[in-house]
Amino acid sequence: MTTTEIKSDTEVPSAADVQAVLAIVATATMAKPPSPPSTIWEKRVERWQGVIGILVLAIMITILTLAGLAVPVKVKLLYEVAMILLNLMLLLCYLMCFGISLVGISFLWRLATNPYALFLQHVDLVSQFDHPSVDALNQCRKNALQYVLTHYKYQRLGYERRAGMIAGAIEKVGLLPALAGLIILLSNLSKAGVTIGLSDFIGPVLLSFYGIGVLSAHMTHRMDRVIALLEYSLQLKK
């Protein structure tokens, strides 16, 4: 590296250099990394989870629309239909969470019976997947990499905090303990004489929060992977 290049790397990067890094980072962030090796039935369960997720989203939009119409129009039928859809959404959310739990338990069982094979296969897949991104980042200037890494880390931390304020840190609690706590809560509400409508409302709301927490954990995991790629690219330039 020449004296001019060293001096350039200690200065504020140009907008063009920053945009070049950001383009690579954006592609790496949005690209879907390889999933851990899974069995045929696990893949089928995951596909059904995707279908159920779309149905839940459609029902949620319908419920919000009916609720918005029921308030000014004051038609009891709209409220009753919304409650039926709410119960249906609750059932679908339970099925989706149950599917997630089944896949997780199956994966843990395979991991326990052959603890290193799945891990090493996944490492191999991800390392091959990320190699083009690392190669592209290595062509960028060091000061631009540092600048983007600083802002990327800051935004990732802010995103995690905002999601945590809404849904909590589901990765710290665990999905199964959270579902067990929800069942206990609804059971206690029922024993305390709380109306069915209120308990039916609380269930889907909490499940929605759990869904947001799972999605947030998945997104931050992708962000952490990109941060690792940026840090590795910076180490290559030392």
Side-chain angles (χ1 to χ4, degrees):
M1 183 177 290
T2 64
T3 305
T4 303
E5 289 175 330
I6 294 174
K7 182 179 178 181
S8 177
D9 283 339
T10 60
E11 296 175 348
V12 177
S14 66
D17 289 338
V18 172
Q19 288 301 318
V21 177
L22 285 174
I24 300 170
V25 166
T27 301
T29 304
M30 292 184 290
K32 183 180 179 181
S35 301
S38 56
T39 62
I40 295 177
W41 81 268
E42 286 175 352
K43 292 179 180 179
R44 289 177 180 175
V45 172
E46 290 171 352
R47 283 196 295 267
W48 277 108
Q49 286 174 336
V51 174
I52 293 175
I54 294 174
L55 289 175
V56 168
L57 180 60
I59 293 174
M60 185 180 297
I61 294 174
T62 304
I63 291 173
L64 293 175
T65 303
L66 292 175
L69 293 174
V71 173
V73 177
K74 296 181 180 180
V75 177
K76 186 178 180 181
L77 179 61
L78 293 177
Y79 173 78
E80 293 175 349
V81 172
M83 290 304 300
I84 293 174
L85 291 176
L86 197 61
N87 290 328
L88 177 60
M89 186 179 74
L90 176 62
L91 176 60
L92 291 176
C93 287
Y94 278 129
L95 287 175
M96 188 163 58
C97 292
F98 181 69
I100 294 174
S101 301
L102 281 180
V103 173
I105 292 172
S106 174
F107 176 76
L108 290 176
W109 171 256
R110 291 191 293 121
L111 194 63
T113 54
N114 197 352
Y116 297 109
L118 291 175
F119 172 75
L120 292 174
Q121 288 177 18
H122 196 210
V123 169
D124 182 36
L125 289 172
V126 176
S127 63
Q128 293 182 41
F129 177 81
D130 285 332
H131 192 274
S133 298
V134 173
D135 186 54
L137 289 172
N138 194 39
Q139 308 302 317
C140 300
R141 303 202 68 89
K142 180 179 178 180
N143 58 350
L145 291 171
Q146 291 174 325
Y147 186 81
V148 172
L149 175 60
T150 299
H151 283 274
Y152 197 94
K153 280 185 174 180
Y154 175 78
Q155 294 298 333
R156 182 244 183 262
L157 181 61
Y159 174 84
E160 184 180 23
R161 287 178 175 175
R162 289 191 295 270
M165 287 188 294
I166 297 174
I170 192 68
E171 70 274 11
K172 294 181 180 179
V173 179
L175 184 59
L176 289 178
L179 291 176
L182 176 59
I183 294 173
I184 293 172
L185 173 62
L186 294 179
S187 176
N188 291 337
L189 288 176
S190 177
K191 292 178 181 178
V194 179
T195 59
I196 298 298
L198 180 59
S199 61
D200 285 346
F201 174 76
I202 291 176
V205 169
L206 291 179
L207 279 174
S208 300
F209 287 159
Y210 295 161
I212 294 173
V214 171
L215 178 61
S216 175
H218 176 71
M219 294 178 69
T220 52
H221 178 69
R222 284 197 184 187
M223 296 175 191
D224 288 339
R225 184 181 116 264
V226 176
I227 289 174
L229 296 180
L230 285 167
E231 291 176 341
Y232 175 75
S233 299
L234 282 170
Q235 290 177 357
L236 293 177
K237 292 183 175 294
K238 290 183 177 180

